[in-house]
PDB file of all heavy atoms in Angstrom:
ATOM      1  N   VAL A  60     261.340 126.484 165.442  1.00 95.00           N
ATOM      2  CA  VAL A  60     260.972 127.826 165.210  1.00 95.00           C
ATOM      3  C   VAL A  60     262.162 128.709 164.906  1.00 95.00           C
ATOM      4  O   VAL A  60     262.147 129.614 164.050  1.00 95.00           O
ATOM      5  CB  VAL A  60     260.209 128.476 166.434  1.00 95.00           C
ATOM      6  CG1 VAL A  60     259.931 129.921 166.270  1.00 95.00           C
ATOM      7  CG2 VAL A  60     258.881 127.739 166.529  1.00 95.00           C
ATOM      8  N   GLY A  61     263.314 128.399 165.530  1.00 95.00           N
ATOM      9  CA  GLY A  61     264.549 129.106 165.256  1.00 95.00           C
ATOM     10  C   GLY A  61     265.039 129.001 163.829  1.00 95.00           C
ATOM     11  O   GLY A  61     265.860 129.855 163.372  1.00 95.00           O
ATOM     12  N   ALA A  62     264.612 127.973 163.124  1.00 96.00           N
ATOM     13  CA  ALA A  62     265.079 127.764 161.725  1.00 96.00           C
ATOM     14  C   ALA A  62     264.548 128.879 160.787  1.00 96.00           C
ATOM     15  O   ALA A  62     265.028 129.139 159.732  1.00 96.00           O
ATOM     16  CB  ALA A  62     264.484 126.398 161.176  1.00 96.00           C
ATOM     17  N   CYS A  63     263.520 129.638 161.276  1.00 96.00           N
ATOM     18  CA  CYS A  63     262.926 130.799 160.499  1.00 96.00           C
ATOM     19  C   CYS A  63     263.672 132.090 160.638  1.00 96.00           C
ATOM     20  O   CYS A  63     263.421 133.047 159.908  1.00 96.00           O
ATOM     21  CB  CYS A  63     261.519 130.989 160.917  1.00 96.00           C
ATOM     22  SG  CYS A  63     260.482 129.462 160.553  1.00 96.00           S
ATOM     23  N   ALA A  64     264.647 132.162 161.476  1.00 95.00           N
ATOM     24  CA  ALA A  64     265.313 133.446 161.832  1.00 95.00           C
ATOM     25  C   ALA A  64     265.924 134.134 160.551  1.00 95.00           C
ATOM     26  O   ALA A  64     265.878 135.357 160.408  1.00 95.00           O
ATOM     27  CB  ALA A  64     266.358 133.227 162.875  1.00 95.00           C
ATOM     28  N   ASP A  65     266.334 133.319 159.612  1.00 94.00           N
ATOM     29  CA  ASP A  65     266.993 133.870 158.396  1.00 94.00           C
ATOM     30  C   ASP A  65     266.020 134.252 157.369  1.00 94.00           C
ATOM     31  O   ASP A  65     266.323 134.685 156.229  1.00 94.00           O
ATOM     32  CB  ASP A  65     268.079 132.970 157.876  1.00 94.00           C
ATOM     33  CG  ASP A  65     267.566 131.565 157.356  1.00 94.00           C
ATOM     34  OD1 ASP A  65     266.244 131.368 157.548  1.00 94.00           O
ATOM     35  OD2 ASP A  65     268.314 130.865 156.771  1.00 94.00           O
ATOM     36  N   GLY A  66     264.642 133.993 157.631  1.00 94.00           N
ATOM     37  CA  GLY A  66     263.685 134.276 156.576  1.00 94.00           C
ATOM     38  C   GLY A  66     263.425 133.218 155.572  1.00 94.00           C
ATOM     39  O   GLY A  66     262.802 133.433 154.553  1.00 94.00           O
ATOM     40  N   ASP A  67     263.856 132.010 155.868  1.00 95.00           N
ATOM     41  CA  ASP A  67     263.718 130.870 154.996  1.00 95.00           C
ATOM     42  C   ASP A  67     263.525 129.552 155.731  1.00 95.00           C
ATOM     43  O   ASP A  67     264.470 129.076 156.379  1.00 95.00           O
ATOM     44  CB  ASP A  67     264.903 130.755 154.032  1.00 95.00           C
ATOM     45  CG  ASP A  67     264.583 129.885 152.851  1.00 95.00           C
ATOM     46  OD1 ASP A  67     263.474 129.952 152.304  1.00 95.00           O
ATOM     47  OD2 ASP A  67     265.463 128.992 152.553  1.00 95.00           O
ATOM     48  N   CYS A  68     262.273 129.100 155.875  1.00 96.00           N
ATOM     49  CA  CYS A  68     262.002 127.818 156.646  1.00 96.00           C
ATOM     50  C   CYS A  68     260.756 127.156 156.208  1.00 96.00           C
ATOM     51  O   CYS A  68     259.919 127.704 155.562  1.00 96.00           O
ATOM     52  CB  CYS A  68     261.994 128.130 158.182  1.00 96.00           C
ATOM     53  SG  CYS A  68     260.606 129.154 158.678  1.00 96.00           S
ATOM     54  N   ALA A  69     260.554 125.944 156.748  1.00 96.00           N
ATOM     55  CA  ALA A  69     259.291 125.152 156.620  1.00 96.00           C
ATOM     56  C   ALA A  69     259.146 124.463 157.923  1.00 96.00           C
ATOM     57  O   ALA A  69     259.954 123.576 158.180  1.00 96.00           O
ATOM     58  CB  ALA A  69     259.382 124.235 155.429  1.00 96.00           C
ATOM     59  N   ILE A  70     258.175 124.851 158.645  1.00 96.00           N
ATOM     60  CA  ILE A  70     258.024 124.178 160.060  1.00 96.00           C
ATOM     61  C   ILE A  70     256.587 123.766 160.253  1.00 96.00           C
ATOM     62  O   ILE A  70     255.686 124.323 159.599  1.00 96.00           O
ATOM     63  CB  ILE A  70     258.492 125.069 161.153  1.00 96.00           C
ATOM     64  CG1 ILE A  70     257.634 126.403 161.315  1.00 96.00           C
ATOM     65  CG2 ILE A  70     259.956 125.421 161.129  1.00 96.00           C
ATOM     66  CD1 ILE A  70     257.905 127.207 162.531  1.00 96.00           C
ATOM     67  N   ALA A  71     256.363 122.848 161.134  1.00 96.00           N
ATOM     68  CA  ALA A  71     255.062 122.388 161.573  1.00 96.00           C
ATOM     69  C   ALA A  71     254.704 123.131 162.903  1.00 96.00           C
ATOM     70  O   ALA A  71     255.516 123.176 163.794  1.00 96.00           O
ATOM     71  CB  ALA A  71     255.001 120.868 161.783  1.00 96.00           C
ATOM     72  N   VAL A  72     253.514 123.669 162.969  1.00 96.00           N
ATOM     73  CA  VAL A  72     253.067 124.385 164.126  1.00 96.00           C
ATOM     74  C   VAL A  72     251.741 123.794 164.632  1.00 96.00           C
ATOM     75  O   VAL A  72     250.846 123.580 163.881  1.00 96.00           O
ATOM     76  CB  VAL A  72     252.818 125.913 163.757  1.00 96.00           C
ATOM     77  CG1 VAL A  72     252.422 126.703 164.985  1.00 96.00           C
ATOM     78  CG2 VAL A  72     254.059 126.518 163.111  1.00 96.00           C
ATOM     79  N   SER A  73     251.724 123.548 165.925  1.00 95.00           N
ATOM     80  CA  SER A  73     250.427 122.935 166.449  1.00 95.00           C
ATOM     81  C   SER A  73     249.897 123.638 167.732  1.00 95.00           C
ATOM     82  O   SER A  73     249.039 123.171 168.424  1.00 95.00           O
ATOM     83  CB  SER A  73     250.623 121.420 166.772  1.00 95.00           C
ATOM     84  OG  SER A  73     251.718 121.299 167.671  1.00 95.00           O
ATOM     85  N   GLU A  74     250.526 124.760 168.034  1.00 96.00           N
ATOM     86  CA  GLU A  74     250.135 125.629 169.145  1.00 96.00           C
ATOM     87  C   GLU A  74     250.405 127.083 168.965  1.00 96.00           C
ATOM     88  O   GLU A  74     251.254 127.462 168.081  1.00 96.00           O
ATOM     89  CB  GLU A  74     250.823 125.083 170.456  1.00 96.00           C
ATOM     90  CG  GLU A  74     252.359 125.225 170.459  1.00 96.00           C
ATOM     91  CD  GLU A  74     252.952 124.502 171.606  1.00 96.00           C
ATOM     92  OE1 GLU A  74     252.295 123.624 172.273  1.00 96.00           O
ATOM     93  OE2 GLU A  74     254.104 124.830 171.835  1.00 96.00           O
ATOM     94  N   ARG A  75     249.900 127.921 169.791  1.00 96.00           N
ATOM     95  CA  ARG A  75     250.114 129.379 169.694  1.00 96.00           C
ATOM     96  C   ARG A  75     251.663 129.660 169.857  1.00 96.00           C
ATOM     97  O   ARG A  75     252.238 129.046 170.785  1.00 96.00           O
ATOM     98  CB  ARG A  75     249.339 130.060 170.826  1.00 96.00           C
ATOM     99  CG  ARG A  75     249.461 131.564 170.736  1.00 96.00           C
ATOM    100  CD  ARG A  75     248.612 132.274 171.780  1.00 96.00           C
ATOM    101  NE  ARG A  75     248.980 133.560 171.979  1.00 96.00           N
ATOM    102  CZ  ARG A  75     248.527 134.618 171.281  1.00 96.00           C
ATOM    103  NH1 ARG A  75     247.554 134.408 170.382  1.00 96.00           N
ATOM    104  NH2 ARG A  75     248.929 135.845 171.399  1.00 96.00           N
ATOM    105  N   VAL A  76     252.249 130.410 168.913  1.00 96.00           N
ATOM    106  CA  VAL A  76     253.646 130.620 168.956  1.00 96.00           C
ATOM    107  C   VAL A  76     253.972 131.857 168.245  1.00 96.00           C
ATOM    108  O   VAL A  76     253.143 132.293 167.323  1.00 96.00           O
ATOM    109  CB  VAL A  76     254.333 129.418 168.352  1.00 96.00           C
ATOM    110  CG1 VAL A  76     254.133 129.231 166.837  1.00 96.00           C
ATOM    111  CG2 VAL A  76     255.906 129.392 168.517  1.00 96.00           C
ATOM    112  N   THR A  77     255.099 132.471 168.559  1.00 97.00           N
ATOM    113  CA  THR A  77     255.547 133.641 167.767  1.00 97.00           C
ATOM    114  C   THR A  77     256.836 133.253 167.184  1.00 97.00           C
ATOM    115  O   THR A  77     257.798 132.795 167.860  1.00 97.00           O
ATOM    116  CB  THR A  77     255.717 134.895 168.716  1.00 97.00           C
ATOM    117  OG1 THR A  77     254.443 135.214 169.277  1.00 97.00           O
ATOM    118  CG2 THR A  77     256.313 136.123 167.989  1.00 97.00           C
ATOM    119  N   VAL A  78     257.002 133.490 165.844  1.00 97.00           N
ATOM    120  CA  VAL A  78     258.198 133.196 165.067  1.00 97.00           C
ATOM    121  C   VAL A  78     258.822 134.443 164.641  1.00 97.00           C
ATOM    122  O   VAL A  78     258.150 135.269 163.982  1.00 97.00           O
ATOM    123  CB  VAL A  78     257.813 132.328 163.817  1.00 97.00           C
ATOM    124  CG1 VAL A  78     258.956 132.004 162.980  1.00 97.00           C
ATOM    125  CG2 VAL A  78     257.000 131.066 164.260  1.00 97.00           C
ATOM    126  N   GLY A  79     260.087 134.617 164.967  1.00 97.00           N
ATOM    127  CA  GLY A  79     260.801 135.836 164.493  1.00 97.00           C
ATOM    128  C   GLY A  79     261.611 135.423 163.227  1.00 97.00           C
ATOM    129  O   GLY A  79     262.115 134.330 163.137  1.00 97.00           O
ATOM    130  N   PHE A  80     261.649 136.465 162.293  1.00 97.00           N
ATOM    131  CA  PHE A  80     262.423 136.157 161.032  1.00 97.00           C
ATOM    132  C   PHE A  80     262.905 137.476 160.456  1.00 97.00           C
ATOM    133  O   PHE A  80     262.370 138.578 160.830  1.00 97.00           O
ATOM    134  CB  PHE A  80     261.539 135.367 160.070  1.00 97.00           C
ATOM    135  CG  PHE A  80     260.265 136.055 159.653  1.00 97.00           C
ATOM    136  CD1 PHE A  80     260.215 136.833 158.454  1.00 97.00           C
ATOM    137  CD2 PHE A  80     259.102 135.887 160.398  1.00 97.00           C
ATOM    138  CE1 PHE A  80     258.971 137.401 158.063  1.00 97.00           C
ATOM    139  CE2 PHE A  80     257.915 136.550 160.068  1.00 97.00           C
ATOM    140  CZ  PHE A  80     257.896 137.341 158.881  1.00 97.00           C
ATOM    141  N   LYS A  81     263.759 137.382 159.449  1.00 94.00           N
ATOM    142  CA  LYS A  81     264.300 138.551 158.797  1.00 94.00           C
ATOM    143  C   LYS A  81     263.325 138.945 157.691  1.00 94.00           C
ATOM    144  O   LYS A  81     263.011 138.152 156.742  1.00 94.00           O
ATOM    145  CB  LYS A  81     265.657 138.211 158.143  1.00 94.00           C
ATOM    146  CG  LYS A  81     266.292 139.363 157.445  1.00 94.00           C
ATOM    147  CD  LYS A  81     267.607 138.894 156.866  1.00 94.00           C
ATOM    148  CE  LYS A  81     268.165 139.941 155.954  1.00 94.00           C
ATOM    149  NZ  LYS A  81     269.319 139.429 155.164  1.00 94.00           N
ATOM    150  N   GLY A  82     262.645 140.133 157.871  1.00 93.00           N
ATOM    151  CA  GLY A  82     261.772 140.666 156.926  1.00 93.00           C
ATOM    152  C   GLY A  82     262.370 141.572 155.910  1.00 93.00           C
ATOM    153  O   GLY A  82     263.625 141.923 156.039  1.00 93.00           O
ATOM    154  N   PRO A  83     261.701 142.032 154.894  1.00 91.00           N
ATOM    155  CA  PRO A  83     262.342 142.950 153.865  1.00 91.00           C
ATOM    156  C   PRO A  83     262.712 144.339 154.451  1.00 91.00           C
ATOM    157  O   PRO A  83     263.568 145.010 153.927  1.00 91.00           O
ATOM    158  CB  PRO A  83     261.217 143.076 152.789  1.00 91.00           C
ATOM    159  CG  PRO A  83     259.956 142.692 153.496  1.00 91.00           C
ATOM    160  CD  PRO A  83     260.363 141.775 154.602  1.00 91.00           C
ATOM    161  N   ALA A  84     262.087 144.725 155.522  1.00 86.00           N
ATOM    162  CA  ALA A  84     262.336 146.071 156.166  1.00 86.00           C
ATOM    163  C   ALA A  84     263.002 145.866 157.557  1.00 86.00           C
ATOM    164  O   ALA A  84     262.910 146.751 158.405  1.00 86.00           O
ATOM    165  CB  ALA A  84     261.102 146.829 156.287  1.00 86.00           C
ATOM    166  N   GLY A  85     263.590 144.711 157.832  1.00 90.00           N
ATOM    167  CA  GLY A  85     264.225 144.413 159.087  1.00 90.00           C
ATOM    168  C   GLY A  85     263.489 143.329 159.805  1.00 90.00           C
ATOM    169  O   GLY A  85     262.752 142.466 159.199  1.00 90.00           O
ATOM    170  N   PRO A  86     263.703 143.213 161.158  1.00 95.00           N
ATOM    171  CA  PRO A  86     263.057 142.104 161.921  1.00 95.00           C
ATOM    172  C   PRO A  86     261.545 142.122 161.789  1.00 95.00           C
ATOM    173  O   PRO A  86     260.865 143.176 161.724  1.00 95.00           O
ATOM    174  CB  PRO A  86     263.417 142.445 163.373  1.00 95.00           C
ATOM    175  CG  PRO A  86     264.595 143.338 163.278  1.00 95.00           C
ATOM    176  CD  PRO A  86     264.453 144.114 161.972  1.00 95.00           C
ATOM    177  N   ALA A  87     261.008 140.931 161.679  1.00 96.00           N
ATOM    178  CA  ALA A  87     259.576 140.720 161.563  1.00 96.00           C
ATOM    179  C   ALA A  87     259.126 139.636 162.524  1.00 96.00           C
ATOM    180  O   ALA A  87     259.915 138.699 162.889  1.00 96.00           O
ATOM    181  CB  ALA A  87     259.171 140.443 160.145  1.00 96.00           C
ATOM    182  N   THR A  88     257.826 139.468 162.836  1.00 97.00           N
ATOM    183  CA  THR A  88     257.347 138.367 163.594  1.00 97.00           C
ATOM    184  C   THR A  88     255.986 137.823 162.989  1.00 97.00           C
ATOM    185  O   THR A  88     255.246 138.606 162.437  1.00 97.00           O
ATOM    186  CB  THR A  88     257.082 138.734 165.041  1.00 97.00           C
ATOM    187  OG1 THR A  88     256.102 139.842 165.121  1.00 97.00           O
ATOM    188  CG2 THR A  88     258.333 139.104 165.756  1.00 97.00           C
TER     189      THR A  88
END
Side-chain angles (χ1 to χ4, degrees):
V60 173
C63 297
D65 65 354
D67 194 43
C68 67
I70 63 171
V72 180
S73 58
E74 60 190 18
R75 184 176 165 89
V76 67
T77 297
V78 178
F80 60 96
K81 181 181 171 188
T88 60

